[in-house]
Amino acid sequence: MSSAKAELMKYEEALEKFEVVIGLEVHIELNTKTKMFCGCANVFGDEPNTNVCPICIGLPGSLPAVNRRAIESSISIGLALGCQIAPNGRFSRKNYFYPDLAKNFQTSQYDEPIAFEGEISVEVPSGKFFTVAIERAHMEEDAGKLTHIGGNTGRIQGAEYSLVDYNRAGVPLVEIVTKPIYGGGAEAPELAAAYVRLIREMVKGLGVSDARMERGNVRCDANVSIRPHGQEKLGTRTETKNVNSLRSIERAVRYEIQRQAAILAKGGTITQETRHWHEDRGATSSGRPKSDADDYRYFPEPDLVPVQPSAEWVEELRAKLPEQPAARRKRLQLDWGFSDLEFRDVVNAGLMDPIEETVAAGAKPQAARKWWTGEIARIANAEDKEVSELSISASDVVELANLVESGKINDRMAREVLTGVLAGEGRPGQIVTDRGLEMVSDDGALLAAIDAALAKQPDVLEKIREGKLQAAGAVIGAVMQAMKGTADAARVRELIIQRAAE
Amino acid sequence: MANELIFKNASELAGLLKSGEVSSVELTQAHIDRIESVGEAVHSFLHTSPASALATAREIDQRRSSGEKLHDLAGLPIAVKDNLTTLDAPTTAGSKMLEGWIPPYDATVVKRLRDAGMPILGKTNLDEFAMGSSTEFSAYGPSKNPWDLTRIPGGSGGGSSSVVASFQAPLALGSDTGGSIRFPASVTGTVGIKPTYGAVSRYGLIALASSLDQVGPVSRSVLDSAMLQDLIAGHDPHDSTSLPESLGSMTEAALKGSVKGMRIGVIRELNGEGFQAGVKQRFNESLEMLSKAGAEIVEVSCPSFEYSIAAYYLILPAEASSNLAKFDSVRFGLRVAPEGNPTIERVMAATREAGFGPEVKRRIILGTYALSSGAFDNFYGAAQKVRTLIQRDFDAAFAKADVLVSPCAPTTAFKLGEKISDPLAMYLNDIATIPANLAGVPGISVPIGLAPEDGLPVGIQFMAPARADARLYQVGAALEQLNEAAWGKRMMEFAPDLEAK
Amino acid sequence: MSEITPDLVRHLAGLARILVTDEEVTQLAQELGVIVDSVATISKAVEGDVPATSHPIAMANVMRDDVVEPSLTQEQALSGAPDSDQGRFRVAAILDEE
Ligand SMILES: [Mg+2]
Ligand SMILES: [Zn+2]
């Protein structure tokens, strides 16, 4: 494994020379109550090896039993992707040794996936739509979690030993695999991210996954290959594993395009391999080459019988499908009265859900938009987090917006309140009280401050009377300073104009 | 002098327990004494649990005396093959890999024994992971045939067959993947049944080949096995391949004991040609008895049976190679760390080298080959298609006959060591028993006398359509009676006395 | 003539994670060769259009309800482990990939 920095071609140059083909494999962790093949709880964050049983730690003699809800969720996902549902699907065993794999085989669907041949329409930030063809969606089980101890901080290299927690082993996954996506051109990286965002929105809307990328509920492997324009044969692809934020997906695809282009331009060849994305360095590194060792010896899982969803069952699930993401987007934009640009910003920032919740909780759409796309998004960005990771709820934002709207606090104070909420100090109203942030609404106090300021700038009233209203600004500034920002600037302005009229 | 109780059949003992003539403690103690006296010579057990068996017995006696209604088999001791998990005893599957491993759960069938109040005497020997036909591949040494201690008790369930044949237990549980209940029964003069695939839960049975494995009873009479199957059979939500429906009462079928009007199909390809002369002779005699008793003997042909051993020795290793992958030193069982600072990959490889015996390694590597990308179609894939052909043969045969019949094995018990270095010769023992596993249909082995040339037991095999296990008990019990009448006593009464320690 | 070469045996043993000595490789190649030759006949038996049977008794749609059942305690889960630490199964370092 070389740590030498790979050479990159400039992005624009790479696109001039090469056509980009991508393929995406997205793993969705379902939010069933129990695991795929046993009754252990499917929950996040419990003590290690407490949600395990003979089945999910692969003890001798144990046998799997399929979770009906997981099958239903998988069918729903298939239907939402416009797929056909296989009348006869079955599980297979994918055999390979790895300590996070309790049985040393993964129970997965192989040649008979539950859903196949679908397509969805994906909108990229420029407003362009792409049709992405879905090859298949199949069910499988998650692996356990390895922690590497010793050596350099949790990395596998140099670790002295590893620890395994099987709480996550056997959690149901649906893997959605696209067909090769052509024609993305310069927007291929954005298309990849927009596709994953749409899938995320879709499974959340279906209620089948919590879809939290930071918890690994949605994980993406990005396949990238390039070929000279006009060449028929596909280039050799690399598969960048587990790119776990939308931003990283975009960056990883862009990086691979530039890296592969630099190699090909020099007459080199691309190695077919898995690669790993390093968020800190903004680079991928070489993983495992494809080889003979990838003989997974798939065969039908003899401990499970086929899954044959009846047409009635499928239609029942189809009838229960919620609104599709595209239709939902259309509806929300109309309801909220956002411009195309405003709405696209909201979508691209992944803020549709919190804004919808905030509006539902009583905020005006523009106020909700302002807070989520503004200050909250800014803070998330600065902290390098997803907005959903911040500890602020829709009802906090409603309360905050109401405080501003009613003139209790001004924008500057509101930002301070927000900091308080994120720091866990409580609800906005509480923080206003605790921090003594309420605006002075007593005109007497304001007038006293105004008069004091006017005494220092006696010509101001005269200028206002002459119609030069902007002259009030200097006095407003002085009053705000004197009142340490607790005054309502608009009210101060009104009072100054009143004084001038006296 | 051994307590006479131990020589009785399980069904008689159940009656004595029920009427209160015998207590479970007395009966259990009698078997513990027997184990003490002949156990070492026969080497049926890998582990015995006298204390916990007696504790169960005491509890059952108490509950009975307080007037509680108990299961028909309550208080009757039993032995369990050591590839079934037990909470209170090590479960090794005959392998060094699992030496001393105490599972944190009971197999479903074991739970049923406990729920019925059957004292569990111990865990019986088997070829490592049930791979073998003689128990010679047990990592803990072979069991012996009580009829002749220099001979094999059959395998893989030679511990269960010998334990019952030497009166150390009236009943035992076995498992049958290609004949591991029936072949041992055949060579020890006992009764063994492989029920229809799915009739009995496999949950807690350490898997050899998932699509072939089935748990079943071992006993000294057909009725005894029927009572045990009635206890252990039935749907288990923990086993997705377990049948949802009940197959009816095997006990009732065994008590019927008539073959009048029954069509019995002799399989042309397994009619005893090429089998040991005494085996063929006893087989033909039994056919005559059945015919005289009113059965109609017909001939059927199953041409694809020719390929059953080949198909079996591809499907079994293939599934086993995957089932046995979990033995990797991480979560349970043996760990062997090579010198130096090995990676987990090397620890796994060294553990599997040290923990698995030669036959297990042979089959794992064969199975890995059968599934590998280059070989899949011609080997594993073709074997699965052969399975279809064998099922079609069965379907055609069962259109002509209610049950099918063959000798259970080509020979009587062979000598320890005779075939151990010739895998192919060993595999041939299962020629008559394998088709039932491939097709999922039930099969029974019933003793039909002793071969004149060596004085050793011979077994006959009946097979019935899937779910028609009851027919096996009906015809088996009938033939058992006919043979007992012809020989003048129960087959096990011909067994030589074992020298007590 | 068997296609089971010593190299193939070594490869298969690697896939099956079993350490094998050179002697074992030679012996296994010979033994497996005999077995494979004897079972190779079956591809002849199934020429033509024969479906595969993976389950002896045809069944479908066996599913359980999504209801939580008791798990093992951490202590029970780790009870059979050769080594454990901090509530987890402990294994030697993993170096072959990533
Ligand atoms: Mg996958
Ligand atoms: Zn579990």
Side-chain angles (χ1 to χ4, degrees), chain A residues 33-35 38-40 48-50 52 65-68 97-98 147 156-157 159 161-164 166 288 301-302 304 306-308, chain C residues 15-17 54-55 59-69 71-72 74 77 85-91 93-95 97-98:
Chain A
K33 289 196 186 70
T34 65
K35 296 186 181 182
C38 66
C40 289
N49 295 306
T50 53
V52 297
V66 171
N67 183 338
R68 179 183 289 106
F97 282 83
Y98 210 69
T147 310
I156 198 159
Q157 292 91 1
Y161 60 95
S162 301
L163 299 177
V164 204
Y166 293 99
R288 204 165 47 94
E301 167 58 276
L304 293 171
V307 179
Q308 297 172 343
Chain C
L15 283 176
R17 276 275 199 284
S54 53
H55 295 79
M59 282 168 59
N61 295 335
V62 177
M63 290 171 267
R64 67 182 171 82
D65 291 336
D66 187 24
V67 174
V68 176
E69 284 171 41
S71 293
L72 296 172
Q74 189 186 70
D85 185 18
Q86 301 168 50
R88 285 162 224 188
F89 297 88
R90 178 173 163 154
V91 298
I94 303 160
L95 281 177
E97 68 168 306
E98 292 191 68

Side-chain angles (χ1 to χ4, degrees), chain A residues 35 37-41 51-57 169, chain C residues 71:
Chain A
K35 296 186 181 182
F37 301 116
C38 66
C40 289
N51 297 318
V52 297
C53 71
I55 300 161
C56 55
I57 54 173
Chain C
S71 293

Side-chain angles (χ1 to χ4, degrees), chain B residues 428-494:
Chain B
L428 278 171
N429 289 305
D430 303 330
I431 188 157
T433 47
I434 281 172
N437 299 81
L438 289 171
V441 306
I444 188 172
S445 177
V446 180
I448 49 170
L450 311 176
E453 60 269 45
D454 53 21
L456 292 168
V458 176
I460 197 169
Q461 173 184 237
F462 294 100
M463 291 180 281
R467 300 179 178 82
D469 303 35
R471 288 184 205 170
L472 300 181
Y473 286 98
Q474 189 181 338
V475 66
L479 182 59
E480 183 179 57
Q481 277 169 24
L482 295 169
N483 264 303
E484 275 178 28
W487 290 76
K489 52 183 174 180
R490 292 184 303 151
M491 216 47 68
M492 282 310 305
E493 288 170 45
F494 290 98

Side-chain angles (χ1 to χ4, degrees), chain A residues 27 94 106 138 140 175:
Chain A
H27 287 84
K94 179 182 185 179
Q106 184 193 35
H138 70 253
E140 58 184 38
E175 181 176 340

Side-chain angles (χ1 to χ4, degrees), chain A residues 143-447:
Chain A
K145 187 175 185 303
L146 280 165
T147 310
H148 307 296
I149 308 289
N152 45 353
T153 60
R155 285 274 174 78
I156 198 159
Q157 292 91 1
E160 285 159 37
Y161 60 95
S162 301
L163 299 177
V164 204
D165 168 15
Y166 293 99
N167 277 350
R168 212 178 63 187
V171 164
L173 298 176
V174 172
E175 181 176 340
I176 303 167
V177 183
T178 67
K179 292 188 174 164
I181 305 167
Y182 304 93
E187 289 176 299
E190 287 89 347
L191 174 55
Y195 167 80
V196 176
R197 170 174 298 127
L198 189 71
I199 295 286
R200 215 180 120 190
E201 239 176 76
M202 188 190 85
V203 296
K204 242 185 117 173
L206 289 168
V208 300
S209 172
D210 295 342
R212 294 177 67 163
M213 290 193 87
E214 73 279 7
R215 284 191 179 175
N217 296 153
V218 177
R219 310 198 279 267
C220 177
D221 302 340
N223 291 282
V224 176
S225 72
I226 60 173
R227 57 181 173 184
H229 289 290
Q231 178 183 303
E232 188 126 355
K233 197 169 165 278
L234 282 172
T236 303
R237 70 188 161 90
T238 60
E239 181 181 3
T240 305
K241 286 281 195 192
N242 283 326
V243 210
N244 290 335
S245 79
L246 295 170
R247 207 162 54 125
S248 320
I249 292 168
E250 199 175 315
R251 291 176 71 200
V253 170
R254 187 182 302 267
Y255 180 90
E256 269 305 290
I257 293 169
Q258 292 177 268
R259 187 187 68 87
Q260 292 184 16
I263 293 171
L264 291 184
K266 276 192 160 176
T269 53
I270 307 298
T271 314
Q272 189 177 350
E273 62 184 357
T274 60
R275 296 186 68 84
H276 301 284
W277 172 246
H278 304 277
E279 186 66 40
D280 47 351
R281 290 191 272 133
T284 64
S285 71
S286 179
R288 204 165 47 94
K290 290 267 170 196
S291 75
D292 284 0
D294 290 342
D295 189 342
Y296 292 122
R297 291 157 284 134
Y298 282 98
F299 72 104
E301 167 58 276
D303 288 325
L304 293 171
V305 301
V307 179
Q308 297 172 343
S310 67
E312 299 83 67
W313 192 21
V314 172
E315 287 319 308
E316 212 175 283
L317 290 167
R318 195 194 302 279
K320 279 192 217 152
L321 285 186
E323 184 181 30
Q324 290 288 290
R328 175 167 170 250
R329 286 182 185 183
K330 230 176 237 158
R331 173 176 60 81
L332 290 178
Q333 187 182 351
L334 212 66
D335 284 358
W336 295 343
F338 290 180
S339 71
D340 285 352
L341 192 65
E342 283 172 342
F343 194 75
R344 199 175 299 148
D345 283 347
V346 167
V347 169
N348 292 333
L351 293 169
M352 220 160 54
D353 288 343
I355 292 176
E356 190 183 21
E357 265 181 71
T358 309
V359 171
K364 289 188 176 144
Q366 284 296 359
R369 188 185 67 80
K370 182 184 120 178
W371 285 107
W372 284 106
T373 60
E375 191 60 12
I376 301 173
R378 191 190 62 75
I379 293 170
N381 225 1
E383 293 183 12
D384 208 14
K385 281 183 179 166
E386 301 271 332
V387 166
S388 60
E389 287 174 88
L390 300 179
S391 57
I392 183 161
S393 69
S395 69
D396 287 332
V397 178
V398 173
E399 199 172 317
L400 192 68
N402 287 342
L403 285 167
V404 175
E405 175 101 347
S406 66
K408 278 237 170 79
I409 57 172
N410 59 21
D411 272 11
R412 191 199 56 77
M413 290 171 178
R415 281 196 294 277
E416 199 181 326
V417 171
L418 191 62
T419 317
V421 172
L422 294 175
E425 290 173 25
R427 302 293 310 264
Q430 188 62 44
I431 293 167
V432 166
T433 313
D434 292 351
R435 292 200 178 189
L437 286 172
E438 205 145 347
M439 278 195 290
V440 177
S441 52
D442 168 11
D443 283 358
L446 290 178
L447 280 171

Side-chain angles (χ1 to χ4, degrees), chain C residues 43-63:
Chain C
S43 52
K44 276 192 314 205
V46 292
E47 279 162 8
D49 197 16
V50 181
T53 295
S54 53
H55 295 79
I57 305 289
M59 282 168 59
N61 295 335
V62 177
M63 290 171 267

